[in-house]
Structures are given as C-alpha cells and as structure tokens.
Amino acid sequence: MNSKLYKLMNWPRIEGVIYSEEDNPHDILGPHVVGKSVLFQTFQPGAMAVTIKTQPGDKRHKMEMVDETGYFACLISGKIPDDYVYEIKNKDGNLQTMRDAYKYSVGIDAKDIDKFNAGIHYSIYEKLGAHPMTVQGISGTFFAVWAPNAQRVSVVGDFNGWDGRIHQMKRNAEGGIFEIFIPDVKPGECYKYEIKAKGGLTFMKADPYAFGQQLRPETASIVRDISGYQWKDQKWMDNRAAFQSENSPISVYELYLGSFKRNADTGEYLNYRELAEEIIKYVKETGYTHVELMPVMEHPLDASWGYQVIGYYAPTARYGSPEDFMYFVDALHQAGIGVILDWVPAHFPRDTHGLSGFDGTCLYEHMDPRKGAHPHWGTLIYNYGRPQVSNYLIANAVFWVEKYHVDGIRMDAVASMLYLDYGKRDGEWVANIYGGNENLEAVELLKHLNSIMKKRNPDVLMIAEESTAWPKITGRLDDGGLGFDLKWNMGFMNDYLSYIGNDPYFRAHHHNELTFSMIYAYSENFMLVFSHDEVVHGKSTMIGKMPGILEDKFANLRLTYAYMMTHPGKKLLFMGQDIAEFKEFDETRQTEWALLNYNTHEGIHRLVKDLNKLYREKPALYALDTKPEGFEWINCISPEKCMVSFMRKTDKPEEVLVVTVNFANVEQEFVIGVPYEGKYKEILNTDAKCYGGLGRVNGRAKSVSEQEADGKPYSFKMTAAPLSASIFAFVPYTEKEKHQIEKKKAELEAERRAQAAMQEADEARRQALAAKEEALAAKKQAQEAERKAKEAQKKAEQELLKAQEAQDRAQTLKNTP
C-alpha cells in the first residue's frame, strides 16, 4: 500500500465497518474529496479484487486491498465522477458489477423525525420503510428503519447475498433512525434488516413499514411501489358520506377471503381480482351494503385468521400483490359496496422476524411482562405510551384509508386495550398512576387516532369491538368519549343467543334476556353482530345453536334474522350463516355453497336477501336508528306468550312498521294495538313457503277496529305461526276509502239513530200501556174499595140495628115486673 493511501485510512473506523459495528459508515465508505483527489473505499467481503469503472470515459482504476477481509481503497485525482461502478471479482473468478450505495447522501429530514418522535407524523410510512426512487439520475430504493438501541443495522437481500456487511446503514443524527439509498434495488426484491444489538447478538427482522411481505412460510419483506395504481372509484368516494352516515342502512357481510371461494380445480386461494368478481356477485345479490374483511395484513399463521399480524402495511400475499388488493377495493366501490377492514392494534405475535425485541430491546412492547404480554393469547402488547409506537399504529390506520381507499376500520379487542387487567389474574398486571386498571395510554391512543381520522377522513367509519360497559365508546371526543362511530353490541348478541337457545317451553322464564337490549340501546351507537367469533371453537354455527328438531332449528333461525334486522342498530352477519352452514368456520376450506341446492338452506338465503332489501328500502328501519323516537314497544310484557311486538318509526306516520315475533312453538292469535287508523299489510312472514316455512301467513291487509289494545286507540287481529316473525307496513286509507268509510259510518249512524228512535217510540208505547194498565188497576182498586166500604157500612148498619134491637129487648125486660 502506498504511504499516502495508508495515511488516509481511518483504521479504527475501518475496523468498525469490518466487524459490523459502525453506525455511520458513510463517513468513510464511498467517495470523499481529499485535496485535489477523491478517496474511494468499499467493503466487499470475500472479494479478490475490485476495480472502479468511471463515467464518462469508461476508465478503470484498480483498488488496493487494505484488509484481507475484503476492504478496498484507492485514490483518484480529480473530482467525484458523475457515475461509477465497482467491478468485483469473487473467489470463484466471477465478476459482479455494483453501484456504490455510499455515494448518495439521502435521508429523512429533521422536521419529519421531530414529528415522528412526537407521535404526530401521520404519513410516516412515506419516510420509513423501503421506497423506490431516483437519486442523481440513478434508480434504486431508499431504506429507513427505526431501531434506536441497535449498535448497527444493515439492509440484506438477494441483491447483496444476504450479507449484512455490505450495506450497513447510517444512523440519522436527529434520532434513532437508520437509513441508506441502495442503487439498482427494484420493486419486487426481497430484503430484511440485519440488526446487531448491543452485546453483539445479530439477527434479521422484517421491515415494520414494508408495503409487501413474502408468503408464509418465507418471512422476508418485499420492495413495493404502490403509487402507480389508477383508481376508478371517484363516484363512490364522492358519495361515501351518504352511505355511511349515522342514520344510513348498513348491513355488513363479514368474511375471511381464504374461505369464501377457492379454485375449483386446485383448491388453492383465489387472487384478489378473482375474489372481487365472486364477492361482488354474491354481495349484490344478497343485498349487503358493505363487506368486512378479517385482517388482510400479512400474518405468518393461517390459523390466526389474520389476527396475529407481522406486516401491518402489507396486504397478505396469499391472494396477490398490493395492486391486486387495490383493484379489489376499487371494484367493490364501483359496484356500490363499502369495504371495512379488521385491524389489530391490541397485540402482536412473538415471531422472531417481527416486532418483538426489534432492536435488541423491548422497542414496540413493554419490558415488564405484566404490561407487555397477554398470558392467555401468548402475544405481546404495544407500549402505547411511546410516541413512535403510537405513531406506527395511527399512521397505519390512516395508511389503509388513504392508500387503499377502505371505508372503515373495525378495531379488534378494544376491551383488552382499555383494561390493564384484561384476561389477567392478580399479580399479572400493574395499576396505572392513579391505582386503577384503566390503560390511560391506550385511551389516549384511541382518542388521538379517532380525532385524526375524522379530521382527515370524516366519512370513514371507526368501529370498536368492545365487550364491556366502558362509557361513551361512541361518545364525542369533546364530551369525554372515545370518538368511535359504532360499537359492536356484544350484549345483544350474548343475551339473544342465550334466550333463543332455550327450548320454547322455557323461554317465558328468560323474557328479560330478549328485551334487555332496549334498556341501553341508545347509550351508544351500536352494530348488531353475529360474527365469526360465535361460530368457532366448539360454539356451533347459528343454525346449530337453535333448539329443537331440524324444522324447528330453521324456523328459529329465520325469526332470529328477522328480529335482528328489525331491532335498532347496524347489522353484521358472518359468511356461511346466511345459508345456514352446520359446520363451524374453518380457514382450511371454502364456504359450503352446495347447501343452496337444498330448499331449507336456500330459504334462509332468500330470507336474508329479502330482509336486506327491506332494510334498505324502509326508512323506519334506519332513519332514526340512534334515537329513541325510532322505536316503540307495543307489547313486551307477555312472557307467558313468548311474544313481543313493536313499531319502527320515522317522523312520517305512513312509514311506520309493526313487527310481531312469536317465539313460542304454537300458533297464536294476537290483538295488536296501533296508533293510526288504516290497514296493516304483512310484507314479510318468516313462515312463508319461499323461506322454507309452511306458508301460515296473513295474506290480506288487516283493517283496524276502534278497539283499544296495548294502550293504543286502534287494533287489528293477526295469526302468528309457531316460531315466526311478521312485519306489517302501515297503509293509510285512501281518500276513496276514507269517503267510503265515512259514508259507511254515516249509514251506520243513521241506522243507529233510527233504531234508537224506534226503541224510544216502543218504550213510550210501553210506558203508555203500562200507565193505562196502572190506571185500570187503580180504578179497579177504587171500585173494590168502594164496594168493600159499602159492605162495611151495610154490615155496620146491620150491627147497629142488632145492637138497637138488643138494647130494646133489654129495656123491655127491665120494664117488665
């Protein structure tokens, strides 16, 4: 080695590069101006010789090996050439050409890093991760990763033989971010970060911000350019707010993409594009307004159904590329179908290529396992109080909305985030600073996310799967709420399934389970759900939960769906349940579509289809969905009859619907009290033959009578088939009908008055006759009295005469001597 070159060598720093302990290799590697010359240094482990080929001029300069491990240097007079490459001769004699990554000084600026460190960089995914770009006319990829506690970080991939010594990254002076621009790395290339932790442990990690990941069981990240897709859903995006307002009809079809349909010949997964065609056809036919996809973010374990995520920014490769997934969303939007994604910010798996112990420390999780681990799930809990971690999650939700046009985020396991002791025994958790079990940092994350989402994308739905009584989940942020749009109503689901699972003979004793949901129905904005959670792990499917013989099971299921669709709240039903699958959900198979060849199963599907149509078309079922004025019990206090009846209303009387549900396994006749005079026409009966029932329906419209019932001025009689639900639409009388009714009433009134007059005349005649009879009787009594008086007088005269005669005889005798 010539002496001048020797003196220019920074041997301690060179040793740091060779031993992969240098966190700022750009200081020495690459070209550096030295006086009127340029010092080139490169580390090519195992290389036998390296030559610099410069442009313009196509000149070659042999580099000197200054360390036998493959460290080369040379001094070239002049300025830094516009373009140059290294020609590397390997031990086997093969030549490899490589551009110098250390020529380029590309990095994240201080403003971006400050925002990230404060937790408020909502598009940080555009900075961190792998981003194809052109620098100084050379195409390549810029890599950046947050690993503040790492000693050294390198990019490894197919482009450098997975050797972490070749592309060691520079630590950004503003924070714990490592970065490097590598020329000629193109979209589609696989890579990872090789991290050397303090203490010397070296391991590889997938990129937390990667836009693509390999299909399991492979674990590398993939460079993806997601900027080129041409969206065609502007009409949907412009009108989305109208489809997703507080009082819009929202009926969601929840599905697992891998089990919806598969390739008929091979049994393999369909591509996102193929799935789009199949799902659009089915969802449009059945009448759902939205689909909710179980997590599509990349995950290593099929059996987790996507709920143990590794690649938060990467659509799973099981079904294709990011562009394929964009096409999927785009196609559904063009068909008028909204797309909601399940999203899992509550925990992450321990897989060593993922986030766990990312930089050799507990970076994304808590160090204390009482805070950082779920003992029952075997997963790790995010450290929500670390700004960069909360930024990672908040930006991820924004990413799916803004880059993939999704219409809603359904947040999984919110209860486990809110409570520090969720699923834990005493000694397994640590109280907050106030001694309580509330996770204050998670609460702040949720509020922060919902606040930012509504500012940036106000028409996107934020939905919480939350199973406790935590107050104001859907409350406004400025009123102490968490700011969600909807909360899954787990109480309704649990109570209803408990009630319907009883034999009808015993349901009278569980009536409160049926009606209790209306006590709190307006405490939150709810979505009623029969989700995947209810048809797995031995819980049985919806049809399997129903009691009785087979016919009764189907009847119970039919009335269940009718009751759900008429109960206040948005709707969600998991795939396979709308065709009455008996087998529990299994991610290894597709939905049993052959069941639609059977009348009973096809009947369930037709019922769901008609219920969805009714739900969308009848404003009473959604227009006042979040207001008590939209619902009114007619009869909820007849547990002995196992029945309920209620009204769904708008502010227009003519739109009212009357719902009667007979949960008893006997036919019953009900008198239903109603507030409006008119006819009530049955528009749906779950016992109709087309749904698999026996056809015991109320065929003709029911005119009301002016007979009070249920506290209402009018009523009508209806017959309820066993285990059935009936929906009646109020039909006001037409003017002609009103005229006929008034004419009929007038005729009846005239007839009534005539009859009353006749009755009065008859009564008058009766009274006159009675008076005459009384007068005759009085005359007879007077005559009899006169006769008796004469007889008494005559008798008295006779007695007086006798007395006079007796007195005369006595006097005669007295005068006789």
Side-chain angles (χ1 to χ4, degrees):
M1 180 186 304
N2 70 62
S3 59
K4 185 175 181 180
L5 185 61
Y6 182 86
K7 291 178 181 179
L8 292 173
M9 295 294 98
N10 187 331
W11 296 107
R13 300 289 295 275
I14 290 173
E15 185 173 324
V17 171
I18 291 172
Y19 287 98
S20 302
E21 295 176 348
E22 175 62 54
D23 66 357
N24 198 356
H26 289 70
D27 279 358
I28 55 172
L29 295 175
H32 294 273
V33 176
V34 180
K36 294 183 179 182
S37 300
V38 179
L39 175 63
F40 291 85
Q41 298 179 77
T42 185
F43 184 39
Q44 302 294 338
M48 301 302 295
V50 177
T51 301
I52 298 178
K53 180 181 178 182
T54 63
Q55 296 292 344
D58 199 20
K59 297 179 180 178
R60 284 176 167 76
H61 306 270
K62 183 176 176 60
M63 302 186 74
E64 187 170 348
M65 181 185 289
V66 299
D67 188 278
E68 60 186 7
T69 57
Y71 196 93
F72 293 83
C74 74
L75 194 63
I76 302 175
S77 61
K79 62 180 183 178
I80 298 175
D82 294 334
D83 189 20
Y84 66 93
V85 295
Y86 294 127
E87 290 184 343
I88 304 161
K89 184 178 181 181
N90 299 320
K91 290 181 179 180
D92 56 8
N94 292 329
L95 285 178
Q96 176 188 1
T97 299
M98 177 183 291
R99 295 186 185 277
D100 188 0
Y102 297 98
K103 174 188 177 183
Y104 307 94
S105 181
V106 181
I108 303 174
D109 64 34
K111 182 179 179 181
D112 286 316
I113 293 177
D114 287 344
K115 289 173 65 178
F116 175 61
N117 288 335
I120 57 172
H121 200 312
Y122 308 117
S123 57
I124 189 61
Y125 52 82
E126 295 178 346
K127 306 298 179 180
L128 295 175
H131 300 280
M133 62 176 60
T134 299
V135 178
Q136 299 177 21
I138 302 299
S139 62
T141 300
F142 174 71
F143 297 89
V145 62
W146 179 58
N149 302 302
Q151 183 174 1
R152 183 265 307 168
V153 181
S154 301
V155 180
V156 294
D158 295 331
F159 45 85
N160 61 17
W162 298 90
D163 190 331
R165 297 170 294 177
I166 296 176
H167 289 122
Q168 300 179 45
M169 305 174 78
K170 176 179 68 174
R171 185 192 297 270
N172 191 298
E174 301 297 328
I177 294 174
F178 287 82
E179 53 198 10
I180 190 173
F181 172 76
I182 305 179
D184 299 326
V185 173
K186 299 177 177 60
E189 303 235 32
C190 295
Y191 72 99
K192 281 187 177 182
Y193 296 116
E194 183 182 274
I195 298 175
K196 189 170 189 176
K198 294 174 182 177
L201 181 65
T202 303
F203 47 85
M204 288 193 290
K205 291 285 188 180
D207 187 350
Y209 288 88
F211 293 161
Q213 299 276 12
Q214 280 187 306
L215 177 63
R216 50 89 181 102
E218 304 302 326
T219 59
S221 302
I222 302 175
V223 177
R224 295 291 191 193
D225 182 359
I226 62 172
S227 63
Y229 185 80
Q230 298 298 312
W231 291 89
K232 301 174 184 177
D233 63 349
Q234 193 59 49
K235 181 179 178 181
W236 168 269
M237 299 298 285
D238 290 343
N239 296 294
R240 180 166 65 182
F243 297 118
Q244 303 194 157
S245 69
E246 187 176 89
N247 292 309
S248 296
I250 296 177
S251 180
V252 180
Y253 183 65
E254 185 192 21
L255 72 151
Y256 179 72
L257 288 175
S259 293
F260 181 75
K261 280 190 177 180
R262 296 197 173 187
N263 185 290
D265 298 323
T266 66
E268 297 296 320
Y269 293 131
L270 297 180
N271 181 274
Y272 286 117
R273 296 173 185 260
E274 296 170 317
L275 283 166
E277 180 180 351
E278 296 290 339
I279 290 171
I280 288 170
K281 179 181 177 182
Y282 183 76
V283 170
K284 293 291 287 184
E285 175 197 353
T286 315
Y288 296 102
T289 63
H290 292 67
V291 297
E292 180 178 313
L293 307 181
M294 294 165 70
V296 297
M297 302 81 186
E298 193 58 78
H299 51 282
L301 181 64
D302 289 0
S304 76
W305 312 326
Y307 290 98
Q308 295 192 8
V309 180
I310 289 292
Y312 274 79
Y313 287 83
T316 177
R318 288 168 175 81
Y319 319 114
S321 68
E323 290 76 14
D324 292 334
F325 185 59
M326 289 178 177
Y327 175 91
F328 175 93
V329 176
D330 197 6
L332 265 67
H333 282 176
Q334 292 178 60
I337 302 168
V339 180
I340 300 168
L341 295 188
D342 270 13
W343 185 59
V344 192
H347 60 115
F348 60 94
R350 296 175 182 267
D351 298 63
T352 55
H353 69 283
L355 297 178
S356 63
F358 188 79
D359 63 356
T361 69
C362 295
L363 187 62
Y364 285 86
E365 69 272 32
H366 289 275
M367 182 181 297
D368 187 340
R370 295 175 299 170
K371 292 183 177 182
H374 273 297
H376 299 308
W377 295 348
T379 52
L380 300 174
I381 301 172
Y382 285 101
N383 184 348
Y384 303 113
R386 186 165 285 157
Q388 299 89 338
V389 175
S390 68
N391 201 151
Y392 174 72
L393 293 170
I394 292 171
N396 184 243
V398 172
F399 168 81
W400 289 106
V401 168
E402 296 185 356
K403 295 300 181 182
Y404 285 89
H405 290 203
V406 302
D407 307 295
I409 299 291
R410 177 266 188 186
M411 203 174 299
D412 182 64
V414 171
S416 74
M417 298 173 66
L418 293 174
Y419 295 97
L420 294 165
D421 59 347
Y422 184 88
K424 299 180 180 181
R425 298 187 295 265
D426 289 346
E428 293 181 342
W429 63 284
V430 179
N432 63 34
I433 59 174
Y434 302 110
N437 65 343
E438 301 87 358
N439 190 333
L440 304 178
E441 296 164 344
V443 170
E444 178 56 32
L445 169 78
L446 297 175
K447 289 183 176 181
H448 189 172
L449 169 55
N450 287 329
S451 172
I452 291 304
M453 187 63 78
K454 289 305 176 183
K455 286 179 182 178
R456 296 172 67 107
N457 306 282
D459 55 353
V460 166
L461 292 173
M462 299 299 290
I463 306 168
E465 184 216 8
E466 205 285 321
S467 55
T468 74
W470 186 286
K472 297 184 178 180
I473 296 292
T474 59
R476 298 195 319 273
L477 291 166
D478 59 7
D479 191 34
L482 295 185
F484 285 95
D485 294 292
L486 294 167
K487 171 183 174 176
W488 274 24
N489 195 335
M490 312 297 280
F492 168 85
M493 178 271 297
N494 286 316
D495 287 344
Y496 182 83
L497 291 181
S498 174
Y499 175 84
I500 201 69
N502 290 294
D503 187 280
Y505 184 80
F506 300 104
R507 285 175 181 167
H509 307 293
H510 299 271
H511 197 67
N512 62 306
E513 294 177 355
L514 181 64
T515 60
F516 182 66
S517 60
M518 287 309 303
I519 299 294
Y520 60 86
Y522 302 105
S523 62
E524 303 277 7
N525 294 337
F526 283 116
M527 175 178 280
L528 309 182
V529 296
F530 292 130
S531 72
H532 69 276
D533 283 327
E534 311 318 314
V535 296
V536 293
H537 304 319
K539 297 178 185 177
S540 191
T541 60
M542 289 296 293
I543 185 70
K545 296 176 192 294
M546 302 297 127
I549 61 175
L550 189 62
E551 291 79 3
D552 292 345
K553 284 181 177 291
F554 278 96
N556 275 299
L557 187 62
R558 291 193 297 267
L559 73 86
T560 291
Y561 290 157
Y563 185 67
M564 173 195 184
M565 293 297 288
T566 54
H567 189 288
K570 310 307 180 191
K571 325 297 179 186
L572 179 143
L573 192 61
F574 183 57
M575 68 178 187
Q577 306 317 297
D578 56 1
I579 62 172
E581 272 193 330
F582 277 96
K583 290 182 181 180
E584 288 189 354
F585 167 60
D586 181 352
E587 77 280 356
T588 65
R589 65 167 177 85
Q590 76 166 18
T591 302
E592 295 180 293
W593 299 112
L595 292 175
L596 290 173
N597 295 320
Y598 299 90
N599 290 337
T600 49
H601 293 272
E602 197 280 330
I604 292 290
H605 178 249
R606 179 168 179 178
L607 173 65
V608 173
K609 175 182 176 179
D610 287 353
L611 284 169
N612 275 327
K613 183 174 186 291
L614 199 68
Y615 176 52
R616 297 193 319 273
E617 293 179 350
K618 297 296 183 182
L621 294 175
Y622 62 82
L624 296 177
D625 208 29
T626 60
K627 294 180 174 61
E629 293 79 11
F631 177 93
E632 182 180 346
W633 284 117
I634 296 175
N635 185 347
C636 64
I637 55 173
S638 298
E640 74 286 353
K641 296 180 181 178
C642 296
M643 68 83 69
V644 292
S645 57
F646 54 88
M647 288 185 290
R648 295 302 309 275
K649 304 183 294 182
T650 69
D651 54 4
K652 299 178 181 179
E654 64 270 20
E655 292 180 342
V656 73
L657 297 178
V658 173
V659 182
T660 302
V661 191
N662 180 16
F663 291 95
N665 201 2
V666 293
E667 184 176 293
Q668 300 187 77
E669 184 176 273
F670 300 128
V671 176
I672 308 298
V674 290
Y676 307 118
E677 186 180 24
K679 295 181 290 186
Y680 289 81
K681 178 177 177 58
E682 188 176 71
I683 57 175
L684 188 142
N685 188 317
T686 60
D687 195 56
K689 289 183 179 180
C690 61
Y691 304 138
L694 297 180
R696 292 162 292 187
V697 302
N698 296 276
R700 300 185 65 181
K702 304 290 184 180
S703 295
V704 300
S705 64
E706 294 183 0
Q707 176 184 348
E708 291 188 14
D710 301 317
K712 305 292 189 295
Y714 306 100
S715 63
F716 67 89
K717 291 182 180 180
M718 58 85 62
T719 301
L723 303 174
S724 71
S726 297
I727 303 174
F728 294 87
F730 170 56
V731 183
Y733 289 134
T734 64
E735 290 301 320
K736 182 178 180 181
E737 288 173 328
K738 287 180 181 179
H739 177 72
Q740 291 174 340
I741 291 170
E742 289 301 321
K743 182 179 179 182
K744 182 73 172 178
K745 285 183 177 180
E747 291 173 351
L748 291 174
E749 180 63 18
E751 183 179 347
R752 185 192 66 78
R753 288 182 177 181
Q755 290 178 347
M758 292 176 62
Q759 289 175 353
E760 289 177 359
D762 289 344
E763 180 63 19
R765 287 193 294 271
R766 187 192 65 75
Q767 289 180 356
L769 181 60
K772 184 177 181 181
E773 290 175 348
E774 287 178 359
L776 289 173
K779 184 177 180 181
K780 286 182 179 180
Q781 289 178 353
Q783 290 174 345
E784 180 66 18
E786 183 179 1
R787 185 187 63 76
K788 288 182 177 180
K790 288 181 177 179
E791 288 179 352
Q793 182 179 4
K794 183 178 180 180
K795 185 176 181 180
E797 291 175 349
Q798 289 175 350
E799 290 297 325
L800 181 61
L801 180 60
K802 288 180 180 180
Q804 186 64 47
E805 290 176 350
Q807 185 178 9
D808 289 346
R809 284 196 298 271
Q811 187 65 43
T812 302
L813 290 174
K814 184 177 177 183
N815 294 329
T816 302

